[in-house]
């Protein structure tokens, strides 16, 4: 896929500020799920990793959004929901070019908001402020904008005002992702470099590796190597979450998805590792 049409982003927010509901609205408003599935919170039913003692909404989901006659692939890459997992958060953010800063219209900027926003700033991401829950009977929108400005050093006045619960102005957020988050770099004919930002174990299919392709292309049937782990495997299946697992033949530069190689032990796949081609390996890890 043309990298100019890809946007990779995360949502950083304090607990209960509406990250899960906003993610569901993205799927609803782009036609990936139905209204009934939205009410049932479909992403909560995905078989995603919950081993860290917290609920993680969605590890990754590919959304297709039409804007000004073009179809964009928007990859939402979720971060672990607790600040104790700083390395895991940093690897998820490293797979992105941008982040939505989601803040409750009444509660304002909270501790976890600050921690993850600073992590996004350190990762040099383009940050788009979004103030959620503007449908609440009591809100502090002007004060929250000022908090975004004074505590985080961002332009609070540029915040997009939304209600993820009702869907109000959610389309404006999708447009902002297209316009403000930069497209990924990378060339399809370069040696393969793909960042492993998470993994999970499936009792029937083995380890599912979540990866973001930085350079080159990974293909079904290809012999790949984990650069830090050192193990070599054949790619048995590739795909994306839309939001269910949808196989594809290849993932090119900038794309995000999953990979199955028949690995039976989760300890063989490490967050932060680099996947490369065995026949034409990259000279260095990410």
């Amino acid at each position: 896929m043309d990298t100019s049409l890809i946007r990779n982003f995360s949502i950083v927010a304090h607990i209960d500020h509406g990250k899960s509901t906003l993610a569901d609205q993205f799927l609803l408003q782009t036609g990936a799920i139905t209204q009934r599935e939205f009410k049932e919170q479909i992403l909560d039913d995905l078989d995603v990793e919950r081993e860290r003692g917290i609920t993680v909404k969605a590890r990754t989901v590919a959304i297709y959004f039409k804007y000004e006659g073009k179809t964009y692939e928007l990859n939402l890459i979720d971060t672990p929901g607790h600040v104790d997992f700083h390395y895991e958060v940093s690897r998820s953010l490293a797979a992105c070019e941008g982040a939505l800063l989601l803040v409750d219209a009444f509660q304002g900027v909270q501790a976890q908001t600050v921690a993850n926003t600073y992590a996004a700033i350190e990762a040099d991401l383009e940050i788009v402020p979004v103030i959620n829950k503007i449908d609440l009977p009591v809100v502090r929108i002007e004060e929250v904008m000022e908090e975004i400005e004074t505590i985080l050093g961002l332009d609070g006045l540029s915040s997009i005002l939304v209600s993820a619960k009702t869907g109000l102005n959610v389309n404006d957020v999708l447009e902002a992702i297209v316009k403000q988050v930069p497209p990924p770099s990378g060339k399809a004919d370069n040696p393969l470099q793909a960042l492993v930002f998470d993994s999970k174990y499936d009792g029937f299919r083995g380890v599912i590796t979540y990866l973001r392709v930085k350079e080159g292309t990974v293909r079904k049937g290809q012999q790949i190597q984990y650069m830090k782990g050192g193990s070599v495997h054949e790619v048995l299946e590739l795909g994306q979450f839309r939001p269910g697992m949808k196989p594809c033949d290849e993932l090119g530069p900038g794309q995000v998805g999953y990979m199955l190689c028949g690995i039976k032990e989760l300890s063989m796949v490490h967050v932060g590792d680099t996947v490369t081609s065995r026949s034409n390996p990259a000279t260095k890890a990410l």
Side-chain angles (χ1 to χ4, degrees):
M1 185 172 184
D2 185 351
T3 56
S4 69
L5 299 177
I6 299 175
R7 301 291 186 272
N8 297 318
F9 71 100
S10 182
I11 304 174
V12 296
H14 191 74
I15 188 170
D16 291 333
H17 280 206
K19 180 168 72 168
S20 298
T21 308
L22 182 62
D24 283 345
Q25 276 287 358
F26 287 160
L27 293 173
L28 177 66
Q29 297 205 15
T30 57
I33 62 173
T34 64
Q35 182 67 41
R36 177 183 177 182
E37 290 170 326
F38 169 70
K39 290 179 179 178
E40 293 174 351
Q41 293 185 299
I42 185 171
L43 289 186
D44 277 337
D45 294 330
L46 286 178
D47 185 19
V48 299
E49 183 179 22
R50 301 175 187 273
E51 297 173 357
R52 296 184 174 94
I54 50 152
T55 299
V56 178
K57 181 58 177 176
R59 193 56 71 191
T60 175
V61 60
I63 304 163
Y64 290 90
F65 176 61
K66 292 183 179 180
Y67 178 69
E68 293 187 345
K70 297 180 180 180
T71 300
Y72 291 82
E73 180 180 297
L74 311 182
N75 292 302
L76 168 57
I77 302 168
D78 207 355
T79 57
H82 197 286
V83 293
D84 285 350
F85 304 107
H86 177 75
Y87 181 72
E88 287 82 354
V89 169
S90 72
R91 293 306 83 199
S92 292
L93 294 177
C96 303
E97 282 76 34
L100 301 179
L101 167 63
L102 190 66
V103 184
D104 187 295
F106 177 74
Q107 295 183 20
V109 174
Q110 302 288 310
Q112 191 173 326
T113 318
V114 176
N116 284 348
T117 301
Y118 285 164
I121 292 172
E122 290 175 5
D124 198 27
L125 303 187
E126 182 67 31
I127 301 176
V128 180
V130 179
I131 297 178
N132 187 30
K133 302 187 182 181
I134 63 171
D135 58 306
L136 291 174
V138 180
V139 295
R140 304 185 303 113
I141 293 175
E142 291 186 2
E143 292 93 331
V144 172
M145 286 181 176
E146 186 174 347
E147 289 176 9
I148 292 172
E149 189 108 19
T150 57
I151 299 175
L152 301 175
L154 302 173
D155 182 7
L157 293 176
S158 69
S159 301
I160 304 171
L161 308 181
V162 307
S163 168
K165 181 179 180 180
T166 67
L168 179 65
N169 297 336
V170 168
N171 196 73
D172 292 345
V173 181
L174 292 168
E175 291 185 7
I177 293 169
V178 170
K179 292 187 286 186
Q180 297 182 42
V181 174
S185 60
K187 296 183 178 180
D189 54 359
N190 282 348
L192 174 63
Q193 286 180 307
L195 174 67
V196 176
F197 62 88
D198 212 336
S199 64
K200 68 176 289 289
Y201 182 76
D202 182 281
F204 296 100
R205 313 181 79 182
V207 177
I208 302 174
T209 300
Y210 296 76
L211 73 169
R212 148 73 194 272
V213 181
K214 293 279 190 174
E215 297 282 352
T217 305
V218 58
R219 297 179 175 87
K220 183 179 179 181
Q222 184 178 6
Q223 292 287 317
I224 58 92
Q225 179 175 355
Y226 290 91
M227 295 186 73
K228 295 177 183 177
S231 58
V232 176
H233 308 275
E234 179 183 349
V235 178
L236 302 179
E237 182 179 317
L238 287 168
Q240 294 179 305
F241 293 97
R242 302 187 186 176
M245 296 173 71
K246 184 172 182 179
C248 62
D249 291 331
E250 64 180 39
L251 293 172
Q255 290 192 291
V256 178
Y258 69 88
M259 178 177 70
L260 291 167
C261 297
I263 301 172
K264 299 302 181 182
E265 296 182 15
L266 191 60
S267 61
M268 294 181 65
V269 179
H270 306 280
V271 173
D273 206 343
T274 301
V275 172
T276 191
S277 170
R278 188 182 185 187
S279 61
N280 183 26
T283 57
K284 63 179 181 179
L286 294 168

